[in-house]
């Protein structure tokens, strides 16, 4: 029970909390851009690549878990409250399908975040091996942050690419109301499934307790980085 409350639950909250916060900030950014342009996001040309990537991630992750994609459209769907939509068909009683629905629904946030983190690593941390050493270190969050700040060395070419891609993909990060509904609908199965993996993990590798704790800490650090990127774009 101690491992569950001290390691598993915090990790789950970090993942879910990161998704909701990053989605909310990027949603506010999109709304500000729409208000400024005076048109819907589907009518603004520079938002269309991000919207396409958003829907593509939904569809790709869904197919990876065996869900059937019955419709892929970049047209707005007022009923679902989304700029575009992907329709899925799956067995609601299949746990793997429910896990796939959870990951597919949240894929625009964590998928685009991974892309931005990779590009950010090339732009700000050219010595990539040092970044991995920081993530692997058994240090506190504040110590990791201080170490990474001391390693920043800007590669201007990659920084330009990073900024352009960030601006392009920002409209695709925010989750629609329907995305959030699907995510919450499938969250209990995802929670139970990963809990089983967690206890199997600790049963066959007791030393993995420290590894999972470090994973939670690194996930929190990466969440804060992406949230920082999102806040900068929002304020700009």
């Amino acid at each position: 029970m101690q491992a569950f409350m001290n390691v598993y639950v915090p990790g789950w909250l970090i993942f879910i909390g990161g998704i909701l916060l990053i989605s909310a900030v990027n949603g506010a950014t999109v709304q500000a851009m729409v208000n400024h342009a005076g048109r819907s996001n589907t009518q603004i040309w520079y938002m269309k690549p991000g919207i396409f990537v958003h829907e593509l991630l939904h569809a790709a992750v869904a197919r990876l878990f065996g869900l059937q994609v019955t419709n892929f459209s970049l047209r707005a769907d007022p009923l679902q409250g989304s700029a575009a939509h992907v329709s899925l068909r799956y067995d609601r009683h299949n746990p793997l399908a429910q896990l796939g629905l959870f990951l597919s629904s949240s894929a625009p946030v964590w998928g685009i975040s991974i892309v931005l983190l990779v590009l950010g690593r090339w732009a700000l941390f050219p010595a990539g091996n040092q970044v991995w050493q920081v993530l692997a270190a058994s240090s506190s969050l504040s110590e990791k942050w201080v170490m990474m700040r001391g390693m920043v060395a800007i590669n201007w070419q990659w920084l330009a690419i990073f900024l352009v891609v960030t601006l392009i993909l920002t409209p695709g990060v925010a989750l629609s109301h329907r995305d959030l509904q699907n995510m919450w609908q499938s969250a209990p199965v995802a929670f139970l499934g990963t809990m089983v993996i967690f206890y199997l993990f600790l049963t066959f590798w007791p030393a993995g307790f420290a590894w999972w704790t470090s994973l939670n800490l690194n996930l929190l650090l990466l969440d804060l980085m992406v949230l920082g990127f999102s806040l900068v774009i929002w304020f700009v």
Side-chain angles (χ1 to χ4, degrees):
M1 181 58 70
Q2 183 178 3
F4 176 77
M5 294 303 299
N6 293 343
V7 180
Y8 179 76
V9 171
W12 182 260
L13 293 177
I14 289 169
F15 181 74
I16 291 290
I19 285 175
L20 295 178
L21 282 173
I22 293 168
S23 174
V25 172
N26 282 275
T29 301
V30 170
Q31 188 60 53
M33 295 167 74
V34 166
N35 292 343
H36 178 74
R39 290 174 291 170
S40 69
N41 48 2
T42 55
Q43 296 175 320
I44 304 174
W45 66 267
Y46 53 81
M47 287 193 177
K48 290 184 178 180
I51 294 172
F52 173 76
V53 172
H54 177 109
E55 302 304 334
L56 183 63
L57 286 168
H58 280 320
V61 175
R63 289 296 300 138
L64 187 64
F65 282 84
L67 282 70
Q68 183 179 355
V69 178
T70 59
N71 188 26
F72 185 102
S73 175
L74 295 181
R75 294 183 178 181
D77 186 344
L79 294 178
Q80 294 187 8
S82 60
H85 63 279
V86 168
S87 299
L88 304 174
R89 182 179 298 159
Y90 57 94
D91 181 0
R92 296 180 181 274
H93 303 291
N94 185 332
L96 184 61
Q98 288 290 333
L99 177 60
L101 180 64
F102 175 80
L103 293 175
S104 171
S105 300
S106 57
V109 177
W110 57 262
I112 293 177
S113 293
I114 290 173
V115 172
L116 297 184
L117 286 169
V118 170
L119 291 177
R121 170 259 189 253
W122 286 105
L124 303 175
F125 306 100
N129 291 336
Q130 293 180 333
V131 173
W132 293 114
Q133 290 171 5
V134 171
L135 294 178
S138 300
S139 308
S140 67
L141 181 65
S142 59
E143 289 171 336
K144 288 176 182 282
W145 180 254
V146 170
M147 286 188 284
M148 294 194 77
R149 279 174 51 194
M151 288 163 36
V152 173
I154 298 176
N155 180 314
W156 293 103
Q157 181 179 357
W158 276 105
L159 180 61
I161 294 172
F162 168 73
L163 292 176
V164 170
V165 173
T166 299
L167 290 172
I168 290 173
L169 294 185
T170 289
V173 176
L175 300 180
S176 69
H177 177 68
R178 183 61 178 173
D179 294 337
L180 292 171
Q181 277 188 329
N182 286 336
M183 191 179 80
W184 289 123
Q185 171 191 320
S186 53
V189 173
F191 182 86
L192 293 174
T194 50
M195 184 171 67
V196 170
I197 294 172
F198 174 73
Y199 277 107
L200 287 174
F201 190 78
L202 294 187
T203 298
F204 293 100
W205 187 34
F209 183 89
W211 181 88
W212 200 293
T213 302
S214 178
L215 178 65
N216 288 349
L217 196 61
N218 288 329
L219 181 59
L220 178 59
L221 178 62
L222 297 177
D223 274 350
L224 292 174
M225 287 182 178
V226 176
L227 188 59
F229 298 156
S230 302
L231 287 171
V232 168
I233 297 297
W234 182 28
F235 287 124
V236 169

